[in-house]
Amino acid sequence: MLPGSQYARGHNVRVPDDPYLWLEDITGDDALAWVRAHNEPTIAELSGERFEAMRSEILEILDTDARIPYPGRRGEYLYNFWRDEANPRGLWRRTTLDSYRTDAPDWDLILDLDELARTEGENWVWAGPEVIEPEHTLAMISLSRGGADATVVREFDMRTREFVEGGFELAEAKSSVSWEDEDTLLVCTDFGDGSMTESGYPRIAKRWRRGEPLDNAETVYEAEPSDVRVIASVDRTPGFEHTRLGRYTDFYNRIRYEVRDGELIELKVPTDSSLSLHREWLLISLRTDWQVGEVTYPAGCLLGTKFDDFLSGTADLAMIYEPDAHSCLSSVQWTKDKLVLITLRDVASHVEIVTPGTWERTDAPGIPPSADTIVVDIDHLGDEVFYNSSGFTTPARLLHGTAGGPLVELKSAPAFYDADGIEVEQYFATSKDGTQVPYFVVGRRAEPSPTYLYGYGGFQNSLTPGYIGGIGRAWLARGGTYVQANIRGGGEYGPGWHKQAMRENRHVVYEDFAAIAADLVRRGITTVEQLGASGGSNGGLLMGVMLTRYPELFGALVCSVPLLDMKRFHLLLAGASWVAEYGNPDDPADWEFMSKYSPYQNISSSASYPPILITTSTRDDRVHPGHARKMTAALEAAGHRVAYYENIEGGHGGAADNKQAAFKSALTYEFLWQNLAR
């Protein structure tokens, strides 16, 4: 039970006072003093020759010019945002494809974020541009202070390479914008009192015309305060212009409208489905079964039809892809005339090209077998596609060509660690309910070794087997083993793999991860004393549960930007948007199952916990740093030792630049090296 008995453990009763509630609210000098008091001993303990070596090695990987400068096509140019040692905040730049093909492309500078930050005295972090298409003349650039989700959005002229004086500009908020034309935006932002949802996102979409005050912008759609956020987007493809409005009623469900002649036409599809509208075609990706007439389309499938036929009710729905027990849809993206479809089969990528209309599928040529392959960029106005392919031990290759045509290797990354003798194996652990849960083991298999187990398990996010340069250099090269867990809650086997772990079934996420931990020991890959685990955000919640429910399985844990107080998560920052994932703690029935795993409420002063490092960011405006602070304070009060590090910048990513990212990663590895038996 927690010190002060603010919760009755295992019961649906709240005892009034939470003695650490103030850690959600402290700011300024008080917050800085608390952070320093916890950061300094942790840094002192973890600093040393090995830490400095790993920090330098990771920073070298992050900053090296040998990295692939991943491109994005906009008109005749390839654009890239680049950070390195000389430009820690970054350069937005462009070049031609012919120049990009060379070993030393001639980059044309568009915006120097370091110079902008110096000039304006702001800690700007790049959050990306919204470029008008197909003209590519103007952009609304989002800039974050210190890496927060909230951004300042400012109009930028890509011809003069200057911010537009007197142009469109939005104050700091979690905004989104879309160009209707060069003088008109659809804007979702903080318009003042009552304009934000309970999740902290905009609930009102307005049409903002050049030269008029934002307060005078015309309201075009409103979501409810209890919704997650409003939706407003414009597709300006010539001849196929579309405007869509709508609202997320929760994290997974949306009500969507097509706007035609000022009329809102509701798109009658399952609210939890995903849509892709391209030219005359509509794709529908299902999360749940959908009955249309006498036909039931299964969850996880992909359907295609002509959009106008769908609106008129005469659509012939074609089954483009149907999953099986071992495979699922990973992504779909359009060129002008083709669809690139990527699936996962037991977490391995498979790329196919689909011809709309006939919906014929053919394997994409030139993709390396057994590689983790993603689309880096695709030209929806042409036929160009860029792929990135890699594996745990195979450095990235950037492939370029046309959808269905031959591919050439444009760029390749160097090996950042010596993979000679390192093996990659996929195993399956048996979870408590009998489910077979896959995981990858990467390392040299001579004898049990210090093992770094990573997991996430939520929001249908898939962990795939891409190249691990930093882990390779800091962990594998020093004799460690790396394990990646594909537990339920993720999307590795489609929506069903995720939905099995939602709300009252959340416990299976933790049972899956615990099963993998035990399986690693059973197979002789590691020992309990040599097994460490790490996770961030939802994965930080996973680490909190491992600490409080499965401490006997681990030698050390690292818990980053975590959710930990599940009684109050929905009251903090964006937390209300995740009620669909976890449940509503204000509902006694929901709190009954949530209270059994919520880490903050399940700390025990009599339990023996493995060493834990908890990290967060002061500027995290998605998952409140109060989770990490309160957990640290409560653990300390219960007599447990906690290493703690809070970056005053970084946002939910935990780092605002490469130096901070290298520092934070080195803390994780050094903490594990110090606490896992050799």
Side-chain angles (χ1 to χ4, degrees), residues 424-478:
V424 178
E425 297 285 349
Q426 186 182 46
Y427 297 103
F428 290 79
T430 303
S431 194
K432 184 177 179 180
D433 64 358
T435 299
Q436 297 296 294
V437 183
Y439 64 94
F440 290 98
V441 177
V442 187
R444 296 179 175 87
R445 293 294 307 279
E447 58 184 16
S449 61
T451 296
Y452 171 32
L453 169 61
Y454 180 79
Y456 185 78
F459 297 95
Q460 205 175 325
N461 289 338
S462 302
L463 300 183
T464 55
Y467 191 62
I468 49 174
I471 293 171
R473 184 78 71 90
W475 195 259
L476 299 178
R478 287 178 167 82

Side-chain angles (χ1 to χ4, degrees), residues 168-171 173 175 177 185-192 205-219:
F168 294 116
E169 183 169 346
L170 296 174
S175 305
V177 298
L185 294 174
L186 286 187
V187 177
C188 308
T189 191
D190 186 348
F191 295 106
K206 296 189 177 187
R207 179 173 289 108
W208 189 17
R209 296 179 174 86
R210 188 177 299 282
E212 74 175 356
L214 182 60
D215 289 344
N216 293 350
E218 169 196 1
T219 297

Side-chain angles (χ1 to χ4, degrees), residues 23 26 31 34 618 624-633 644 646:
L23 285 168
I26 55 169
W34 192 91
T618 308
H624 198 292
H627 284 276
R629 295 169 183 166
K630 290 167 59 179
M631 188 73 174
T632 297
Y644 182 87
E646 180 172 329

Side-chain angles (χ1 to χ4, degrees), residues 661-673:
F663 183 90
K664 180 175 170 291
S665 294
L667 281 181
T668 294
Y669 299 131
E670 179 60 21
F671 178 80
L672 293 176
W673 280 124

